Every structure is written in structure tokens, then in C-alpha cells.
Amino acid sequence: MSLFKARDWWSTVLGEKEEFDQGCLCLADVDNTGNGQDKIIVGSFMGYLRIFNPHPVKTGDGTQAEDLLLEVHLRDPILQVEVGKFVSGTEMLHLAVLHSRKLCVYSISGTLGNVEHGNQYQIKLMYEHNLQRTACNMTYGSFGGVKGRDLICIQSMDGMLMVFEQESYAFGRFLPGSLLPGPLAYSSRTDSFITVSSCRQVESYKYQVLAFATDADKRQETEQQKLGSGKRLVVDWTLNIGEQALDICIVSFNQSASSVFVLGERNFFCLKDNGQIRFMKKLDCSPSCFLPYCSVSEGTTNTLIGNHNNMLHIYQDVTLKWATQLPHIPVAVRVGCLHDLKGVIVTLSDDGHLQCSYLGTDPSLFQAPKVESRELHYDELDIELKELQKIIKDVNKSQGIWPTTEREDDLKVSAMVSPNFDSVSQATDVEVGTDLVPSVTVKVTLQNRLALQKAKLSVYVQPPLVLTCDQFTFEFMDRNPDGIPRVIQCKFRLPLKLICLPGQPSKTASHKLTIDTNKSPVSLLSLFPGFANQSEDDQVNVMGFHFLGGSRVTLLASKTSQRYRIQSEQFEDLWLITNELIIRLQEYFEKQGIKDFACSFSGSMPLQEYFELIDHHFELRINGEKLEELLSERALQFRAIQRRLLTRFKDKTPAPLQHLDTLLDGTYKQVIALADAVEENQDNLFQSFTKLRSATHLVILLIGLWQKLSPDQVAILEAAFLPLQQDTQELGWEETVDAAISHLLKTCLSKSSKEQALNLSSQLNIPKDTSRLKKHITLLCDRLAKGGRLCLSTDAAAPQTIVMPGGCTAIPESDLEERSMEQDSTELFTNHKHLIVETPMPEVSPLQGVSE
């Protein structure tokens, strides 16, 4: 960081969200006043041309209205602006503006007004040239030694030099071997054009050689060339600098010597007229622009170099003479005479910060404030130290990360779901078959007792439900006294009718689930009042549900026993109605004042159906990886064919394409087909993951009812089986769940300390198949069936052989041991379509009412 900052003489910001580059800044007496005062000409990529004549009342003043002489919108992006003698018959200065497809030359003139602010400036188009090729940059000078006028040379994007003799087009020449255009400059002493090619070498071309070379419209060798008439375009000299160049400048010491300055990515070079290196300097920072100019010392040159660290360095040859800090990164720098002040440094950033500054010695130093001396009282310090140590000890005993609050009502969050659907559904861009997708409004209320600095509200619903807005931020003027972030959660249930409609019950189904209770059956009309079929009011023990996606679920209540049966053609569809049934039964008996209501479950776990969904989800993940790999190969092939075709097209003597165009077209069609396949597979993977989540919720619900698990133990199962909110190729559900279940098997469900000493892999990779995961899930159910209990406390590290009646099977250390365990487990967990449930109902969070 520099000790001194650039002294701000005048500055302004140009437009809004406009972009600028190194060719967009120019300093000259463009209005031909003859007093030696320069004007600042700035063009932007948005097409705005501005001319400034700053004259601040005092140093550091911002722009005044009278500082802007002219502002005009030229519609086309402005690539470069230059001032020279561009109009025939006069030696007055004119402004040349380069657009991508047009070159325009303007006359700038001012009219003196009768009042203080009455001066008016006009811009007049003298002539323009429409370009047949897209322009990159331009240079100007007295090409060929002409006197009293300047000619313009424009370089196109495909490496063609187009020379204009003022109002007329002279000729165009292609640079040999040109691939990408580089910076371009003209040396009047040698009458040469100097550029840097894509081969990272400086090249010099004589103007006379360009003028007598083959015309650009005839790139192929003509018969006259073969016979000897006409000349090839031959380079005068080259120098390999080994890096791309940002800019080129020509500085003449006198009539007998000049230097070519080249700014590279890490170095800047000074070359002689014949291409020999005079000197070079390695730069410490990445440069952004530069400007060499003659020094007061004879035989030396000063160079201004701006870099991406907001610095401007001044070198005398290779010696750093000064470093100053700028408020922005300069992309263009010029030196001129403004308002009778010579040597003003003008810098322009890519976002339009224009500043006129000069070098000064006004340091920005930090001075530490004086510390008041006071007498130390060691007794008081000892008492304060003991109090602080006591506070630290109390905090460590509490084992809490966040400090406890005295009151829990510092911030309250409540959500109220509207009882009715929106009159006009907000789901305008969602289509689910022929069913209309409804929407419901949720009102969230925040109440705070203390002053808050910032509150951020995030709302989440499980797929396939969506939100119109899921993030809200509230800014408050008052700051929180302690600045401690706190998190408050609020869960709410959405109405079942949001994703489910009344439907016809089905007598047959592939998947069935039966739940037993300890109370007499309740009428389904009382439990689901909004799903009664009017044509079958007598059928109070049968009810059908129709999901928006097309699936159907049937709920039956036994007339004689205390049982309820849920059946469907899809296994994953059973979870929502089963979970909703248990919640509504619990609420019904709580209203009746009955507290001993319980559900029970005894039977086999439906692991086979669950494993089929896991295999399908894993297969889609593998297919996705294969498709993306194949798409990457085809894209690489497509780019390789493009490069070969480009080489053929740019060759002076084009060879036959050898069916490369046919191969390019076929590869393009394959890339499009593979991209469509990848997109389709991602959609299928999302749907499969949603089904897998629903099935996982059902399995967790059944395990909790089956083993009478507490809410804390159910929460552990949910954390292990549902660790991801969405599935990705980098981190998938299978490897994450396998690691979590393996951790449970080796900690709280372990048999001995030997199992607890086993270390899990620290890196999660996609497995080869799902056999290991399915075996671990089966083993988890086996351990729970034999008395194992889930726990995350420090006591879980102890062996569980005493509290687990019947003993638990050890974690297999080899494939043979794993196969033997699998045989024992399959005897217990067989494939049953009909399940009987008899367990106390766990505590269900309201969010579980949201459909998958």
C-alpha cells in the first residue's frame, strides 16, 4: 500500500452501469481553441460520447454543470476515440469515433453565449465509413510520410488492417497467421505498424509493404502472383515476448531515435526501432494500463503504470520513482494540460469513475490517541478477575453454545394457515394432469420484546409443495444490545386438501397397511369431514383419496374390530394418509378427554418395497453420471472439430473439408440429444427422490410405532435417514445414509467396545451398488428388534449388552460374516403386503402433515 494517495483535483462518475475500456479516453484541444488547454473526451460501450472541460473552484471539487461541454448518444457502442487531422483541405483537429461496424469523424465547435452559462457546443458529422468487418481498434498518423493530414488504420477482429485516407478507403490487408487481434500502434519514424500477435510476439510491418502487397479481397494466390507480379505481405521484424500484450505505445526522443513500449501481463518492454530490447521490467502486480512519456532527464523515459491493486506506479526506465494510491482500478490513463495546470493525470475505470489528479505529499497516517495515565489498583483487579473466572466457569458447566435468556418471549413467531383456499390460485405455472392446483395463504406473525438489528424469515415446505416467496428480510434501525444471533422455529400444518381430493375407494390394491388401536373405531366422516362422498353416505367405514398426481389411496375402518387399513397401488403413497390418520385420531380422542389412546404395530417391516425404491433412485444417479460423462466427451469432440474447421477456413490455401462439416453436424445433434437426456434424467431423479423421502417417512413411522420409540429416538432416525433436503451428484442420499446408519451401529447399537473402535471413512463417495446400505438397514432393524435403543449421549459409548435382552448381532467385518447375518435377518423381515400395527403413537410434529 502506498504511503501517499493521488491528490484529487476533479472527479465525476459517468452514467449508470456503463462500461469503459482503454480506448474510451482521449485528451486533446478538440474544439480548436488554440490556447493549449486540453478537453477530456470519453466514449462508453453504451454509445454515450461526453466532452469535459473541468475547472474546479478549489481542489477536490466534484463536477459542475458547466464542466460538461457536450453529451450525445450515438446509439452504437464506442470502441475508441482519437483526435487528429482527419478532414481533407484543413489542418483543424477532428474527432474520430470507432464503432464495431462504423467509423465516424466529427467536428466539435463552440458558440459564445451572451450570458454566463450561454456557451453552446455542437457536434457535426463530417463523414463516415461503414465497415464490412467487425472492428477491434485503430491507430492514426502520417502514413507514408504525408504532410498536414492524418490517415486512419483500423484492425478488424479477424486480423485485417483497413487503411482510410480521410474520406476515402485506400486498401485492406490481412496479417499473416492472425488468429486474434492485438494492440496496434504506428511509428512515424520508421513508417511502420507494430502489433502483438496471438503467437505472443511483437511484429512490425512497413507501410510501403502493406500498400504494395496482395489485396485483401484476393486472399488466394492469383496467377499474376505466381508469375511474379504482386508481393506477399512480409513482416519487417519480430520479437517473442512470451506473454499477451495489453497495450503498445511509441515514444520519440528526437528525430533520430524512438522507442516501442509494450505492456505485457507481467512485464513491460522497451524496444528499439529494429526490435532489439532496450530494457524490460518485471512487474509485481497485474497491470491494467500504462502511458510512457519523455522524461526531463535526457535519454530516459517515464512510464505511468496502473495495476489491479488501485495503484499508479511511476517508473524512470526500470527504476520506480513514485507510487500513489487511486480510489479505483484504472483501465486508461492520460496526461494533459487542464485549466492552466500542466501534467494533470487523468484516469478512467471500467465502471465510469473519471478522475483528474496530481502527485502530492499529503500522507494519510493513523495517529493513535493519547492514553490517559491512571494509577492501577491491584486489589480491585484481583476481585474483577475472580468474578470473570466465575462467569466463565458457570458458562462451561451449562454446556451451551448460546447464552440462555431470562424470558422466552423475546421473539415469537406464529403461523396461521387460512381455512379457505385462494379464490385465484397462485399456482399459475404448474400443471398436474387435468386437476387444478390450489393454493393457500399462510400468515406469519413476528413479535419481539427486545430491539432487533436484523431479522430474516425463511419458510420451507417439502417437495413437491412450492412457495411464492421463501425468504423475507426485515431491517431495523435499533441495534441488538448483545449482537448475539438467535434462531426461533415455528412449524405449521397445511390442509390435506391442498394436494389431495376426494376419490372413489378401491377394493383391491398392491400394498396394504393395517393399524390396531385400543379404542372403538371412529367414523371416517368425523375424522375426514371434507372427504365424504355424497353418493355413498352410508359407507362411513370406507373413504377414497385422490392425489393431484393421479395416485389413489383407500382408507377402511373395521366395523367389528379396532383396526384401520390403508391400501394403495404405490408403496410411497401410504405414508401421508397413515400419518394423517394417526394425527387425527390423537386429536379426536384428546377432544373427548381420553388420554390413554394408543396405536400399536406388530408384524414385519416392508423393507423389500423400500429397497426397490432405493434401487430405482440409485440407478437414476448412475445413469446421470454416465450421461454427463458421455456429454462431456461429445462436447470435447465438438470443440475439437470446430478448431480444425477454423484452421481450414483461415488457411490461405484451403484444403478439402474431408467431411468435417458432416461430422460437426452429427456431433451437434448428439450433444443436443444427450443434453435433453440429462435434463430428463434429472427430472426423473427429482421425482424418485421425492418418492424415496415419502417411503422413508413411512418406514420411520412404522419403526417408531413398532418399537415404541420416544420422540427423541424418532428424531435420531429422521436425522439418519433424511439428512438431505435435495439430492445431488456430488453428495447423494445413499452414501450419506449409509454413513449415518453405520455410525449408529458402531456407537449406541454396538455390541462391544471393539466395534466402537472402528473408524468410518472421512470421505463420502458414491457406492458401486446398494447392497451394503440395504444390509445395514436390515441390521439396524434387527438390533432394534432385539432391544437396542437409540441415544446420542456420552453414555452411548458403553456396551449395550446389559440393556439389550437377547443380545445384538455384531457388525460384520467381512462379506462372509455379512452374508450370514443377512440370512438371519431375512427370516425376521420377510416381504409382506399386509401389516399389523400395535404401538403407542409417537409425538408428531405439525410439519409432518406436509405432503411429499
Side-chain angles (χ1 to χ4, degrees), residues 695-728:
T696 303
H697 277 295
L698 179 61
V699 171
I700 294 174
L701 178 63
L702 295 179
I703 292 177
L705 296 175
W706 172 45
Q707 289 298 319
K708 298 181 175 62
L709 299 182
S710 65
D712 293 337
Q713 292 175 325
V714 173
I716 294 175
L717 276 182
E718 291 179 346
F721 279 88
L722 297 169
L724 302 176
Q725 297 296 341
Q726 59 182 0
D727 204 10
T728 61

Short mmCIF file of all heavy atoms in Angstrom, two decimals, residues 695-728:
data_model
loop_
_atom_site.label_atom_id
_atom_site.label_comp_id
_atom_site.label_asym_id
_atom_site.label_seq_id
_atom_site.Cartn_x
_atom_site.Cartn_y
_atom_site.Cartn_z
N ALA A 695 -41.43 -42.72 1.24
CA ALA A 695 -41.28 -44.09 1.75
C ALA A 695 -40.43 -44.11 3.01
O ALA A 695 -40.69 -44.89 3.94
CB ALA A 695 -40.67 -44.97 0.66
N THR A 696 -39.40 -43.25 3.07
CA THR A 696 -38.56 -43.19 4.27
C THR A 696 -39.35 -42.68 5.46
O THR A 696 -39.21 -43.19 6.58
CB THR A 696 -37.35 -42.28 3.99
OG1 THR A 696 -36.63 -42.76 2.85
CG2 THR A 696 -36.40 -42.27 5.18
N HIS A 697 -40.19 -41.68 5.27
CA HIS A 697 -41.06 -41.21 6.36
C HIS A 697 -41.95 -42.36 6.86
O HIS A 697 -42.17 -42.50 8.07
CB HIS A 697 -41.93 -40.05 5.86
CG HIS A 697 -41.25 -38.72 5.90
ND1 HIS A 697 -40.86 -38.12 7.07
CD2 HIS A 697 -40.90 -37.88 4.90
CE1 HIS A 697 -40.30 -36.95 6.80
NE2 HIS A 697 -40.30 -36.79 5.49
N LEU A 698 -42.48 -43.16 5.93
CA LEU A 698 -43.34 -44.28 6.33
C LEU A 698 -42.57 -45.32 7.12
O LEU A 698 -43.06 -45.82 8.14
CB LEU A 698 -43.96 -44.91 5.08
CG LEU A 698 -44.88 -46.12 5.33
CD1 LEU A 698 -46.06 -45.72 6.20
CD2 LEU A 698 -45.35 -46.71 4.01
N VAL A 699 -41.35 -45.63 6.68
CA VAL A 699 -40.54 -46.62 7.40
C VAL A 699 -40.19 -46.12 8.80
O VAL A 699 -40.26 -46.87 9.79
CB VAL A 699 -39.27 -46.94 6.59
CG1 VAL A 699 -38.30 -47.79 7.41
CG2 VAL A 699 -39.62 -47.67 5.31
N ILE A 700 -39.83 -44.84 8.92
CA ILE A 700 -39.52 -44.28 10.24
C ILE A 700 -40.76 -44.31 11.13
O ILE A 700 -40.68 -44.64 12.33
CB ILE A 700 -38.99 -42.84 10.08
CG1 ILE A 700 -37.64 -42.85 9.36
CG2 ILE A 700 -38.86 -42.16 11.44
CD1 ILE A 700 -37.13 -41.47 9.04
N LEU A 701 -41.92 -43.99 10.57
CA LEU A 701 -43.16 -44.04 11.35
C LEU A 701 -43.45 -45.44 11.85
O LEU A 701 -43.81 -45.64 13.02
CB LEU A 701 -44.31 -43.51 10.49
CG LEU A 701 -45.71 -43.52 11.12
CD1 LEU A 701 -45.76 -42.61 12.33
CD2 LEU A 701 -46.75 -43.09 10.10
N LEU A 702 -43.30 -46.44 10.99
CA LEU A 702 -43.56 -47.82 11.39
C LEU A 702 -42.57 -48.32 12.43
O LEU A 702 -42.94 -49.03 13.36
CB LEU A 702 -43.55 -48.72 10.16
CG LEU A 702 -44.66 -48.48 9.13
CD1 LEU A 702 -44.51 -49.43 7.96
CD2 LEU A 702 -46.03 -48.59 9.76
N ILE A 703 -41.29 -47.95 12.27
CA ILE A 703 -40.29 -48.37 13.27
C ILE A 703 -40.60 -47.75 14.62
O ILE A 703 -40.50 -48.40 15.67
CB ILE A 703 -38.88 -47.98 12.79
CG1 ILE A 703 -38.48 -48.81 11.57
CG2 ILE A 703 -37.85 -48.20 13.90
CD1 ILE A 703 -37.13 -48.45 11.00
N GLY A 704 -40.99 -46.45 14.62
CA GLY A 704 -41.32 -45.81 15.89
C GLY A 704 -42.51 -46.44 16.57
O GLY A 704 -42.51 -46.63 17.80
N LEU A 705 -43.55 -46.81 15.81
CA LEU A 705 -44.70 -47.48 16.41
C LEU A 705 -44.37 -48.90 16.81
O LEU A 705 -44.85 -49.42 17.82
CB LEU A 705 -45.86 -47.48 15.41
CG LEU A 705 -46.43 -46.11 15.02
CD1 LEU A 705 -47.48 -46.29 13.94
CD2 LEU A 705 -47.01 -45.40 16.22
N TRP A 706 -43.56 -49.55 16.01
CA TRP A 706 -43.22 -50.97 16.24
C TRP A 706 -42.41 -51.17 17.51
O TRP A 706 -42.68 -52.07 18.31
CB TRP A 706 -42.46 -51.45 15.00
CG TRP A 706 -41.87 -52.81 15.11
CD1 TRP A 706 -42.44 -53.94 15.60
CD2 TRP A 706 -40.57 -53.20 14.69
NE1 TRP A 706 -41.60 -55.00 15.51
CE2 TRP A 706 -40.42 -54.58 14.95
CE3 TRP A 706 -39.51 -52.52 14.09
CZ2 TRP A 706 -39.27 -55.29 14.64
CZ3 TRP A 706 -38.37 -53.21 13.78
CH2 TRP A 706 -38.24 -54.58 14.05
N GLN A 707 -41.44 -50.28 17.77
CA GLN A 707 -40.56 -50.44 18.93
C GLN A 707 -40.87 -49.45 20.05
O GLN A 707 -40.07 -49.33 20.98
CB GLN A 707 -39.11 -50.27 18.49
CG GLN A 707 -38.58 -51.42 17.65
CD GLN A 707 -38.58 -52.73 18.42
OE1 GLN A 707 -38.22 -52.76 19.61
NE2 GLN A 707 -38.99 -53.80 17.77
N LYS A 708 -42.01 -48.75 19.94
CA LYS A 708 -42.41 -47.80 20.98
C LYS A 708 -41.28 -46.80 21.27
O LYS A 708 -40.89 -46.56 22.41
CB LYS A 708 -42.81 -48.52 22.27
CG LYS A 708 -44.00 -49.45 22.12
CD LYS A 708 -44.33 -50.11 23.44
CE LYS A 708 -45.59 -50.95 23.33
NZ LYS A 708 -45.47 -52.06 22.38
N LEU A 709 -40.74 -46.20 20.24
CA LEU A 709 -39.63 -45.26 20.39
C LEU A 709 -40.14 -43.91 20.90
O LEU A 709 -41.24 -43.49 20.56
CB LEU A 709 -38.91 -45.06 19.05
CG LEU A 709 -38.28 -46.30 18.42
CD1 LEU A 709 -37.57 -45.93 17.12
CD2 LEU A 709 -37.30 -46.98 19.38
N SER A 710 -39.32 -43.26 21.68
CA SER A 710 -39.65 -41.92 22.17
C SER A 710 -39.46 -40.90 21.06
O SER A 710 -38.83 -41.18 20.04
CB SER A 710 -38.75 -41.58 23.37
OG SER A 710 -37.39 -41.51 22.95
N PRO A 711 -40.01 -39.68 21.25
CA PRO A 711 -39.81 -38.66 20.22
C PRO A 711 -38.34 -38.36 19.94
O PRO A 711 -37.96 -38.08 18.79
CB PRO A 711 -40.53 -37.43 20.78
CG PRO A 711 -41.58 -38.01 21.69
CD PRO A 711 -40.98 -39.24 22.28
N ASP A 712 -37.47 -38.42 20.97
CA ASP A 712 -36.04 -38.18 20.75
C ASP A 712 -35.43 -39.27 19.87
O ASP A 712 -34.60 -39.00 19.00
CB ASP A 712 -35.30 -38.10 22.08
CG ASP A 712 -35.72 -36.88 22.88
OD1 ASP A 712 -36.21 -35.91 22.25
OD2 ASP A 712 -35.54 -36.88 24.11
N GLN A 713 -35.85 -40.51 20.11
CA GLN A 713 -35.31 -41.60 19.29
C GLN A 713 -35.82 -41.52 17.85
O GLN A 713 -35.09 -41.82 16.90
CB GLN A 713 -35.67 -42.94 19.92
CG GLN A 713 -34.97 -43.20 21.25
CD GLN A 713 -35.45 -44.48 21.92
OE1 GLN A 713 -36.62 -44.84 21.81
NE2 GLN A 713 -34.54 -45.16 22.60
N VAL A 714 -37.08 -41.12 17.67
CA VAL A 714 -37.60 -40.92 16.32
C VAL A 714 -36.84 -39.80 15.61
O VAL A 714 -36.54 -39.89 14.41
CB VAL A 714 -39.11 -40.62 16.36
CG1 VAL A 714 -39.62 -40.26 14.98
CG2 VAL A 714 -39.88 -41.82 16.91
N ALA A 715 -36.48 -38.77 16.36
CA ALA A 715 -35.71 -37.67 15.77
C ALA A 715 -34.33 -38.14 15.32
O ALA A 715 -33.80 -37.69 14.28
CB ALA A 715 -35.58 -36.52 16.77
N ILE A 716 -33.73 -39.07 16.05
CA ILE A 716 -32.44 -39.63 15.63
C ILE A 716 -32.59 -40.42 14.34
O ILE A 716 -31.75 -40.33 13.43
CB ILE A 716 -31.86 -40.51 16.76
CG1 ILE A 716 -31.51 -39.65 17.98
CG2 ILE A 716 -30.62 -41.26 16.29
CD1 ILE A 716 -31.06 -40.45 19.18
N LEU A 717 -33.67 -41.20 14.24
CA LEU A 717 -33.91 -41.93 13.00
C LEU A 717 -34.11 -40.98 11.82
O LEU A 717 -33.60 -41.21 10.73
CB LEU A 717 -35.13 -42.83 13.16
CG LEU A 717 -34.93 -44.20 13.81
CD1 LEU A 717 -36.24 -44.96 13.83
CD2 LEU A 717 -33.87 -45.01 13.07
N GLU A 718 -34.86 -39.90 12.03
CA GLU A 718 -35.08 -38.94 10.95
C GLU A 718 -33.78 -38.26 10.53
O GLU A 718 -33.54 -38.03 9.34
CB GLU A 718 -36.09 -37.88 11.39
CG GLU A 718 -37.51 -38.42 11.55
CD GLU A 718 -38.47 -37.34 12.01
OE1 GLU A 718 -37.99 -36.28 12.45
OE2 GLU A 718 -39.70 -37.57 11.95
N ALA A 719 -32.91 -37.97 11.49
CA ALA A 719 -31.63 -37.36 11.14
C ALA A 719 -30.75 -38.33 10.36
O ALA A 719 -29.97 -37.92 9.50
CB ALA A 719 -30.91 -36.89 12.40
N ALA A 720 -30.86 -39.62 10.66
CA ALA A 720 -30.04 -40.61 9.96
C ALA A 720 -30.58 -40.94 8.58
O ALA A 720 -29.82 -41.08 7.62
CB ALA A 720 -29.94 -41.88 10.80
N PHE A 721 -31.89 -41.06 8.43
CA PHE A 721 -32.49 -41.47 7.17
C PHE A 721 -32.82 -40.30 6.24
O PHE A 721 -32.99 -40.51 5.04
CB PHE A 721 -33.77 -42.28 7.42
CG PHE A 721 -33.53 -43.71 7.77
CD1 PHE A 721 -33.32 -44.10 9.08
CD2 PHE A 721 -33.49 -44.68 6.78
CE1 PHE A 721 -33.10 -45.42 9.41
CE2 PHE A 721 -33.27 -46.00 7.10
CZ PHE A 721 -33.07 -46.38 8.42
N LEU A 722 -32.95 -39.11 6.80
CA LEU A 722 -33.31 -37.95 5.97
C LEU A 722 -32.31 -36.82 6.20
O LEU A 722 -32.64 -35.74 6.71
CB LEU A 722 -34.73 -37.47 6.32
CG LEU A 722 -35.85 -38.46 6.04
CD1 LEU A 722 -37.15 -37.98 6.66
CD2 LEU A 722 -36.02 -38.67 4.54
N PRO A 723 -31.04 -37.02 5.83
CA PRO A 723 -30.03 -35.99 6.07
C PRO A 723 -30.02 -34.88 5.03
O PRO A 723 -29.47 -33.82 5.28
CB PRO A 723 -28.72 -36.77 6.04
CG PRO A 723 -28.99 -37.88 5.08
CD PRO A 723 -30.45 -38.24 5.22
N LEU A 724 -30.59 -35.11 3.84
CA LEU A 724 -30.50 -34.16 2.74
C LEU A 724 -31.87 -33.64 2.36
O LEU A 724 -32.84 -34.40 2.32
CB LEU A 724 -29.86 -34.83 1.51
CG LEU A 724 -28.46 -35.42 1.69
CD1 LEU A 724 -28.03 -36.11 0.41
CD2 LEU A 724 -27.47 -34.35 2.08
N GLN A 725 -31.94 -32.34 2.10
CA GLN A 725 -33.17 -31.76 1.60
C GLN A 725 -33.32 -31.96 0.10
O GLN A 725 -34.43 -31.97 -0.43
CB GLN A 725 -33.22 -30.26 1.93
CG GLN A 725 -33.22 -29.95 3.42
CD GLN A 725 -34.46 -30.48 4.11
OE1 GLN A 725 -35.47 -30.76 3.48
NE2 GLN A 725 -34.39 -30.62 5.44
N GLN A 726 -32.20 -32.11 -0.59
CA GLN A 726 -32.23 -32.38 -2.02
C GLN A 726 -31.03 -33.25 -2.37
O GLN A 726 -30.03 -33.26 -1.67
CB GLN A 726 -32.21 -31.09 -2.83
CG GLN A 726 -31.00 -30.21 -2.58
CD GLN A 726 -31.07 -28.93 -3.37
OE1 GLN A 726 -32.02 -28.69 -4.09
NE2 GLN A 726 -30.06 -28.08 -3.25
N ASP A 727 -31.15 -33.96 -3.48
CA ASP A 727 -30.14 -34.91 -3.90
C ASP A 727 -29.27 -34.29 -4.98
O ASP A 727 -29.75 -33.60 -5.87
CB ASP A 727 -30.83 -36.17 -4.45
CG ASP A 727 -29.91 -37.38 -4.36
OD1 ASP A 727 -28.86 -37.25 -3.70
OD2 ASP A 727 -30.23 -38.42 -4.93
N THR A 728 -27.95 -34.52 -4.88
CA THR A 728 -27.01 -34.02 -5.89
C THR A 728 -26.08 -35.14 -6.30
O THR A 728 -25.97 -36.16 -5.61
CB THR A 728 -26.19 -32.84 -5.33
OG1 THR A 728 -25.43 -33.28 -4.19
CG2 THR A 728 -27.09 -31.69 -4.93
#
